[in-house]
Amino acid sequence: MEKEFISLVKVNERILIKVCNIYCREEEDRKDLFQDILIQLWKAFPNFGGRSKITTWMYRVAFNTAVSRYRKHKNGLIKEPISEQIQSDFNSEDDENVRLLYLAIDTLNKIERAIIILYMDGVKYKDIGEILGLSESNVGFKINRIKGKLREKLNMEEL
């Protein structure tokens, strides 16, 4: 079971890293959250029955762990906005729109940020709903609302 778990984590590590980056800005906080998520995944692994995709299950455990940790340590997480973290990642003119999009995403609340990041990652509405405990139709409604907010912030016609 341990080898299977380690293999799953290695294959899907980007999911965990993405969640850590959404909720933590400081490297040390990201490492701590990553460890917390791994612990929760390991504890929950024996009960994973395959009723959902492994990626959906991992996102759900990761987001629940991050939100729980955030509630306990509100001042310890999200010390700097996502924009500070990605500022240096985008230098060319072509990347300017992407940088502006992430700046706009940074202004969203935690749940909206999680929804739009999952959406941008190509996760289906149904799976986003499973991960965050929302109905599929509610996810669609929220995504449309979030897109509207982002359009407004970016003053864009399409998103």
Side-chain angles (χ1 to χ4, degrees), residues 115 118-119 123-132 139 143:
I115 290 169
L118 288 167
Y119 172 76
V123 177
K124 295 178 182 172
Y125 286 19
K126 180 181 177 205
D127 294 335
I128 294 171
E130 281 183 41
I131 292 164
L132 300 173
V139 169
I143 287 172

Side-chain angles (χ1 to χ4, degrees), residues 90-149:
F90 302 103
N91 295 321
S92 74
E93 245 180 76
D94 294 337
D95 293 332
E96 182 64 12
N97 286 337
V98 175
R99 187 184 69 76
L100 291 173
L101 176 61
Y102 277 98
L103 288 170
I105 289 171
D106 190 37
T107 65
L108 300 172
N109 70 42
K110 298 177 302 289
I111 299 298
E112 290 172 333
R113 196 179 309 159
I115 290 169
I116 202 67
I117 294 293
L118 288 167
Y119 172 76
M120 290 169 55
D121 201 29
V123 177
K124 295 178 182 172
Y125 286 19
K126 180 181 177 205
D127 294 335
I128 294 171
E130 281 183 41
I131 292 164
L132 300 173
L134 302 169
S135 70
E136 187 174 350
S137 60
N138 196 2
V139 169
F141 172 78
K142 287 183 179 287
I143 287 172
N144 285 330
R145 237 179 65 216
I146 293 166
K147 283 181 177 181
K149 283 183 177 183

